[in-house]
Short mmCIF file of all heavy atoms in Angstrom, two decimals:
data_model
loop_
_atom_site.label_atom_id
_atom_site.label_comp_id
_atom_site.label_asym_id
_atom_site.label_seq_id
_atom_site.Cartn_x
_atom_site.Cartn_y
_atom_site.Cartn_z
N ARG A 1320 189.28 -86.34 4.97
CA ARG A 1320 188.58 -86.01 6.21
C ARG A 1320 187.66 -84.83 6.02
O ARG A 1320 186.54 -84.80 6.54
CB ARG A 1320 189.60 -85.71 7.32
CG ARG A 1320 190.39 -86.93 7.78
CD ARG A 1320 191.14 -86.61 9.06
NE ARG A 1320 192.06 -87.68 9.41
CZ ARG A 1320 193.35 -87.64 9.16
NH1 ARG A 1320 193.88 -86.56 8.55
NH2 ARG A 1320 194.13 -88.65 9.50
N GLN A 1321 188.07 -83.82 5.29
CA GLN A 1321 187.23 -82.65 5.06
C GLN A 1321 185.97 -83.02 4.29
O GLN A 1321 184.88 -82.52 4.57
CB GLN A 1321 188.04 -81.58 4.30
CG GLN A 1321 189.20 -80.99 5.12
CD GLN A 1321 188.72 -80.29 6.38
OE1 GLN A 1321 187.62 -79.70 6.41
NE2 GLN A 1321 189.54 -80.33 7.44
N ARG A 1322 186.13 -83.85 3.26
CA ARG A 1322 184.95 -84.25 2.50
C ARG A 1322 183.97 -85.04 3.36
O ARG A 1322 182.76 -84.88 3.26
CB ARG A 1322 185.38 -85.08 1.28
CG ARG A 1322 185.99 -84.22 0.18
CD ARG A 1322 186.09 -85.03 -1.12
NE ARG A 1322 187.04 -86.11 -1.03
CZ ARG A 1322 188.33 -86.00 -1.35
NH1 ARG A 1322 188.82 -84.83 -1.77
NH2 ARG A 1322 189.13 -87.03 -1.24
N LEU A 1323 184.45 -85.96 4.22
CA LEU A 1323 183.57 -86.70 5.13
C LEU A 1323 182.87 -85.77 6.11
O LEU A 1323 181.69 -85.98 6.43
CB LEU A 1323 184.37 -87.77 5.89
CG LEU A 1323 184.88 -88.95 5.05
CD1 LEU A 1323 185.76 -89.87 5.90
CD2 LEU A 1323 183.70 -89.75 4.49
N LYS A 1324 183.53 -84.79 6.61
CA LYS A 1324 182.90 -83.85 7.52
C LYS A 1324 181.78 -83.07 6.85
O LYS A 1324 180.75 -82.78 7.45
CB LYS A 1324 183.94 -82.89 8.09
CG LYS A 1324 184.90 -83.54 9.07
CD LYS A 1324 185.92 -82.52 9.59
CE LYS A 1324 186.89 -83.17 10.58
NZ LYS A 1324 187.89 -82.18 11.08
N ARG A 1325 182.04 -82.69 5.58
CA ARG A 1325 180.99 -81.97 4.88
C ARG A 1325 179.78 -82.87 4.60
O ARG A 1325 178.63 -82.42 4.60
CB ARG A 1325 181.54 -81.40 3.57
CG ARG A 1325 182.50 -80.23 3.79
CD ARG A 1325 182.74 -79.52 2.47
NE ARG A 1325 183.40 -80.39 1.49
CZ ARG A 1325 184.72 -80.47 1.35
NH1 ARG A 1325 185.52 -79.73 2.13
NH2 ARG A 1325 185.23 -81.28 0.45
N ALA A 1326 180.06 -84.17 4.32
CA ALA A 1326 178.94 -85.09 4.04
C ALA A 1326 178.17 -85.46 5.30
O ALA A 1326 176.94 -85.60 5.29
CB ALA A 1326 179.46 -86.37 3.35
N PHE A 1327 178.87 -85.67 6.39
CA PHE A 1327 178.24 -86.06 7.67
C PHE A 1327 178.68 -85.08 8.73
O PHE A 1327 179.62 -85.35 9.50
CB PHE A 1327 178.64 -87.48 8.07
CG PHE A 1327 178.29 -88.51 7.04
CD1 PHE A 1327 179.28 -88.98 6.16
CD2 PHE A 1327 177.01 -89.00 6.93
CE1 PHE A 1327 178.97 -89.91 5.21
CE2 PHE A 1327 176.70 -89.94 5.98
CZ PHE A 1327 177.68 -90.39 5.10
N PRO A 1328 178.01 -83.97 8.82
CA PRO A 1328 178.43 -82.98 9.83
C PRO A 1328 178.10 -83.47 11.22
O PRO A 1328 177.12 -84.17 11.43
CB PRO A 1328 177.62 -81.74 9.45
CG PRO A 1328 176.44 -82.26 8.73
CD PRO A 1328 176.92 -83.48 7.99
N ARG A 1329 178.93 -83.10 12.16
CA ARG A 1329 178.73 -83.53 13.55
C ARG A 1329 177.57 -82.81 14.20
O ARG A 1329 176.94 -83.33 15.12
CB ARG A 1329 180.01 -83.28 14.35
CG ARG A 1329 181.16 -84.17 13.93
CD ARG A 1329 182.37 -83.93 14.81
NE ARG A 1329 183.49 -84.78 14.42
CZ ARG A 1329 184.67 -84.77 15.04
NH1 ARG A 1329 184.88 -83.92 16.05
NH2 ARG A 1329 185.63 -85.57 14.63
N ASP A 1330 177.21 -81.65 13.77
CA ASP A 1330 176.11 -80.90 14.39
C ASP A 1330 174.75 -81.32 13.85
O ASP A 1330 173.75 -80.67 14.11
CB ASP A 1330 176.32 -79.41 14.19
CG ASP A 1330 176.45 -79.06 12.71
OD1 ASP A 1330 176.48 -80.01 11.88
OD2 ASP A 1330 176.50 -77.86 12.40
N GLY A 1331 174.65 -82.44 13.09
CA GLY A 1331 173.38 -82.92 12.58
C GLY A 1331 173.12 -82.50 11.16
O GLY A 1331 172.34 -83.13 10.46
N GLY A 1332 173.66 -81.50 10.69
CA GLY A 1332 173.49 -81.08 9.31
C GLY A 1332 172.05 -80.68 9.04
O GLY A 1332 171.25 -80.43 9.93
N PRO A 1333 171.67 -80.72 7.79
CA PRO A 1333 170.29 -80.34 7.43
C PRO A 1333 169.29 -81.39 7.86
O PRO A 1333 169.50 -82.58 7.66
CB PRO A 1333 170.36 -80.19 5.90
CG PRO A 1333 171.50 -81.06 5.50
CD PRO A 1333 172.50 -80.97 6.59
N LYS A 1334 168.19 -81.01 8.44
CA LYS A 1334 167.17 -81.94 8.93
C LYS A 1334 166.17 -82.24 7.82
O LYS A 1334 165.91 -81.41 6.95
CB LYS A 1334 166.44 -81.32 10.12
CG LYS A 1334 167.36 -81.09 11.30
CD LYS A 1334 166.58 -80.54 12.47
CE LYS A 1334 167.50 -80.32 13.68
NZ LYS A 1334 166.77 -79.77 14.84
N PRO A 1335 165.58 -83.52 7.81
CA PRO A 1335 164.59 -83.87 6.79
C PRO A 1335 163.35 -83.02 6.96
O PRO A 1335 163.03 -82.57 8.05
CB PRO A 1335 164.29 -85.35 7.06
CG PRO A 1335 164.65 -85.54 8.48
CD PRO A 1335 165.80 -84.62 8.76
N PRO A 1336 162.63 -82.86 5.88
CA PRO A 1336 161.42 -82.02 5.97
C PRO A 1336 160.36 -82.69 6.83
O PRO A 1336 160.19 -83.90 6.80
CB PRO A 1336 160.97 -81.90 4.51
CG PRO A 1336 161.55 -83.09 3.83
CD PRO A 1336 162.86 -83.35 4.51
N GLN A 1337 159.62 -81.94 7.60
CA GLN A 1337 158.56 -82.43 8.48
C GLN A 1337 157.25 -82.60 7.70
O GLN A 1337 156.92 -81.78 6.84
CB GLN A 1337 158.34 -81.46 9.65
CG GLN A 1337 159.56 -81.29 10.52
CD GLN A 1337 159.88 -82.54 11.30
OE1 GLN A 1337 158.99 -83.33 11.61
NE2 GLN A 1337 161.16 -82.74 11.60
N LEU A 1338 156.51 -83.82 7.98
CA LEU A 1338 155.24 -84.08 7.32
C LEU A 1338 154.15 -83.24 7.97
O LEU A 1338 154.00 -83.24 9.20
CB LEU A 1338 154.86 -85.55 7.42
CG LEU A 1338 155.75 -86.53 6.65
CD1 LEU A 1338 155.30 -87.96 6.91
CD2 LEU A 1338 155.71 -86.24 5.16
N ASN A 1339 153.37 -82.60 7.14
CA ASN A 1339 152.24 -81.86 7.67
C ASN A 1339 151.01 -82.75 7.73
O ASN A 1339 151.02 -83.91 7.34
CB ASN A 1339 151.97 -80.61 6.83
CG ASN A 1339 151.78 -80.96 5.35
OD1 ASN A 1339 151.45 -82.10 5.04
ND2 ASN A 1339 152.00 -79.99 4.47
N ARG A 1340 149.88 -82.24 8.19
CA ARG A 1340 148.65 -83.03 8.38
C ARG A 1340 148.08 -83.50 7.05
O ARG A 1340 147.62 -84.64 6.93
CB ARG A 1340 147.62 -82.18 9.13
CG ARG A 1340 146.35 -82.93 9.44
CD ARG A 1340 145.43 -82.05 10.27
NE ARG A 1340 144.21 -82.76 10.61
CZ ARG A 1340 143.21 -82.22 11.33
NH1 ARG A 1340 143.34 -80.96 11.80
NH2 ARG A 1340 142.14 -82.93 11.59
N GLN A 1341 148.13 -82.67 6.06
CA GLN A 1341 147.59 -83.03 4.76
C GLN A 1341 148.35 -84.21 4.14
O GLN A 1341 147.75 -85.15 3.60
CB GLN A 1341 147.62 -81.83 3.83
CG GLN A 1341 146.99 -82.09 2.46
CD GLN A 1341 147.00 -80.85 1.59
OE1 GLN A 1341 147.55 -79.81 1.99
NE2 GLN A 1341 146.40 -80.94 0.42
N SER A 1342 149.67 -84.16 4.26
CA SER A 1342 150.47 -85.27 3.72
C SER A 1342 150.18 -86.56 4.47
O SER A 1342 150.08 -87.65 3.86
CB SER A 1342 151.96 -84.91 3.82
OG SER A 1342 152.24 -83.75 3.09
N ALA A 1343 150.03 -86.48 5.78
CA ALA A 1343 149.73 -87.68 6.55
C ALA A 1343 148.39 -88.28 6.14
O ALA A 1343 148.24 -89.50 6.00
CB ALA A 1343 149.75 -87.36 8.04
N LEU A 1344 147.39 -87.41 5.91
CA LEU A 1344 146.08 -87.92 5.48
C LEU A 1344 146.15 -88.58 4.12
O LEU A 1344 145.50 -89.60 3.87
CB LEU A 1344 145.06 -86.78 5.47
CG LEU A 1344 144.67 -86.21 6.84
CD1 LEU A 1344 143.72 -85.02 6.67
CD2 LEU A 1344 144.02 -87.29 7.71
N LEU A 1345 146.94 -87.99 3.22
CA LEU A 1345 147.09 -88.59 1.91
C LEU A 1345 147.74 -89.97 1.99
O LEU A 1345 147.34 -90.93 1.30
CB LEU A 1345 147.91 -87.67 1.00
CG LEU A 1345 147.22 -86.38 0.56
CD1 LEU A 1345 148.18 -85.52 -0.24
CD2 LEU A 1345 145.97 -86.69 -0.26
N ILE A 1346 148.73 -90.09 2.85
CA ILE A 1346 149.41 -91.39 3.00
C ILE A 1346 148.44 -92.43 3.58
O ILE A 1346 148.35 -93.57 3.12
CB ILE A 1346 150.66 -91.23 3.88
CG1 ILE A 1346 151.70 -90.37 3.14
CG2 ILE A 1346 151.24 -92.59 4.24
CD1 ILE A 1346 152.92 -90.07 3.98
N VAL A 1347 147.70 -92.01 4.61
CA VAL A 1347 146.74 -92.95 5.22
C VAL A 1347 145.67 -93.36 4.21
O VAL A 1347 145.26 -94.53 4.12
CB VAL A 1347 146.11 -92.32 6.47
CG1 VAL A 1347 144.97 -93.19 6.99
CG2 VAL A 1347 147.17 -92.14 7.55
N ALA A 1348 145.19 -92.40 3.41
CA ALA A 1348 144.18 -92.71 2.40
C ALA A 1348 144.72 -93.68 1.36
O ALA A 1348 144.04 -94.61 0.93
CB ALA A 1348 143.69 -91.43 1.74
N GLY A 1349 145.97 -93.47 0.95
CA GLY A 1349 146.56 -94.38 -0.03
C GLY A 1349 146.70 -95.80 0.52
O GLY A 1349 146.40 -96.78 -0.18
N VAL A 1350 147.15 -95.88 1.77
CA VAL A 1350 147.26 -97.21 2.38
C VAL A 1350 145.88 -97.87 2.49
O VAL A 1350 145.71 -99.08 2.25
CB VAL A 1350 147.94 -97.11 3.75
CG1 VAL A 1350 147.89 -98.45 4.48
CG2 VAL A 1350 149.38 -96.65 3.59
N GLY A 1351 144.84 -97.08 2.84
CA GLY A 1351 143.50 -97.63 2.94
C GLY A 1351 142.97 -98.13 1.61
O GLY A 1351 142.32 -99.18 1.52
N VAL A 1352 143.27 -97.36 0.55
CA VAL A 1352 142.83 -97.80 -0.78
C VAL A 1352 143.52 -99.10 -1.18
O VAL A 1352 142.88 -100.03 -1.70
CB VAL A 1352 143.10 -96.68 -1.81
CG1 VAL A 1352 142.87 -97.20 -3.24
CG2 VAL A 1352 142.19 -95.48 -1.55
N LEU A 1353 144.82 -99.18 -0.95
CA LEU A 1353 145.53 -100.42 -1.26
C LEU A 1353 145.00 -101.59 -0.44
O LEU A 1353 144.86 -102.72 -0.94
CB LEU A 1353 147.03 -100.23 -1.01
CG LEU A 1353 147.75 -99.24 -1.93
CD1 LEU A 1353 149.21 -99.09 -1.52
CD2 LEU A 1353 147.64 -99.69 -3.40
N TRP A 1354 144.69 -101.32 0.84
CA TRP A 1354 144.13 -102.40 1.69
C TRP A 1354 142.76 -102.85 1.19
O TRP A 1354 142.44 -104.03 1.17
CB TRP A 1354 144.04 -101.89 3.13
CG TRP A 1354 143.53 -102.91 4.10
CD1 TRP A 1354 144.14 -104.05 4.50
CD2 TRP A 1354 142.29 -102.86 4.80
NE1 TRP A 1354 143.37 -104.72 5.40
CE2 TRP A 1354 142.21 -104.02 5.62
CE3 TRP A 1354 141.23 -101.95 4.84
CZ2 TRP A 1354 141.13 -104.27 6.44
CZ3 TRP A 1354 140.16 -102.20 5.66
CH2 TRP A 1354 140.11 -103.34 6.44
N GLY A 1355 141.93 -101.90 0.75
CA GLY A 1355 140.62 -102.26 0.21
C GLY A 1355 140.72 -103.02 -1.10
O GLY A 1355 139.98 -103.96 -1.36
#
């Protein structure tokens, strides 16, 4: 039980990193290049 609590904390645990504007533009550009 202790190991499961540490792996999946009830308070949400660490949050994933947030995408900034530059990363979003890079992703959109990559998708556009693949589409072209």
Side-chain angles (χ1 to χ4, degrees):
R1320 291 192 189 100
Q1321 293 299 327
R1322 285 194 292 269
L1323 291 175
K1324 289 180 180 180
R1325 288 193 297 268
F1327 303 99
R1329 292 183 179 180
D1330 57 354
K1334 297 182 180 180
Q1337 298 292 332
L1338 293 177
N1339 55 22
R1340 183 176 181 181
Q1341 183 178 4
S1342 300
L1344 292 176
L1345 290 176
I1346 293 175
V1347 172
V1350 172
V1352 170
L1353 294 177
W1354 182 68

